[in-house]
Amino acid sequence: GPGTADVYLAAQNATAGAADVLAVQDALDQAFFGNGTVDQLVRAFPAPTVSQAVAATIYVRGTTAQVLTPVLDAAWASFLVEVPVGGFDLSPGPDHTIPRGMIIAALADSDPNILAVDVTVPAADVTVPPTSKVLDGGATFTVVVLAQA
């Protein structure tokens, strides 16, 4: 209600556990005057989670699918760690989103042998619920090795 705030907590690759939520709530209770169990002004909650998959065709030269696939998997996992609870706020533009272009850039920048990235999933920018942590919904990468020029 008015004059209150909810704090949603998440780890890098998961929502916050019960012990973490209790520890944060205890710290909030001590930090905010009148934040007792009867009239909490600030409350801690584990962030709900949503899964996001990625599928992409990656065009490369000078490497192999066997070498590149683990690099792409790591780049996707690293990117998801950087997505804040509720998605990115790109004010004055959209907020609560993961721009598809950011996914493409994260994959393209993962190896200098990548020439192009065609992401098919997601097909558009991803809307993230305001209090949710985005987790890995699976990654499918098709690596197309082009002949040397």
Side-chain angles (χ1 to χ4, degrees):
T4 66
D6 294 339
V7 178
Y8 290 89
L9 308 168
Q12 286 185 341
N13 295 311
T15 191
D20 292 325
V21 172
L22 288 174
V24 169
Q25 186 63 59
D26 183 52
L28 291 170
D29 289 345
Q30 292 178 32
F32 291 93
F33 179 74
N35 199 41
T37 56
V38 175
D39 184 27
Q40 285 185 313
L41 300 174
V42 182
R43 298 177 301 167
F45 296 98
T49 60
V50 294
S51 295
Q52 179 59 53
V54 65
T57 302
I58 314 295
Y59 298 90
V60 301
R61 186 174 285 136
T63 189
T64 66
Q66 184 178 12
V67 170
L68 191 59
T69 300
V71 171
L72 293 166
D73 287 336
W76 174 240
S78 234
F79 175 76
L80 289 176
V81 166
E82 299 302 318
V83 176
V85 169
F88 293 102
D89 179 357
L90 304 173
S91 294
D95 62 356
H96 304 297
T97 188
I98 302 172
R100 189 168 166 270
M102 289 178 78
I103 296 170
I104 293 168
L107 297 174
D109 292 345
S110 66
D111 188 279
N113 295 303
I114 295 175
L115 303 174
V117 175
D118 179 20
V119 171
T120 54
V121 175
D125 292 351
V126 177
T127 300
V128 179
T131 61
S132 296
K133 175 64 180 165
V134 179
L135 301 179
D136 186 1
T140 304
F141 299 116
T142 302
V143 178
V144 176
V145 179
L146 302 173
Q148 293 293 338

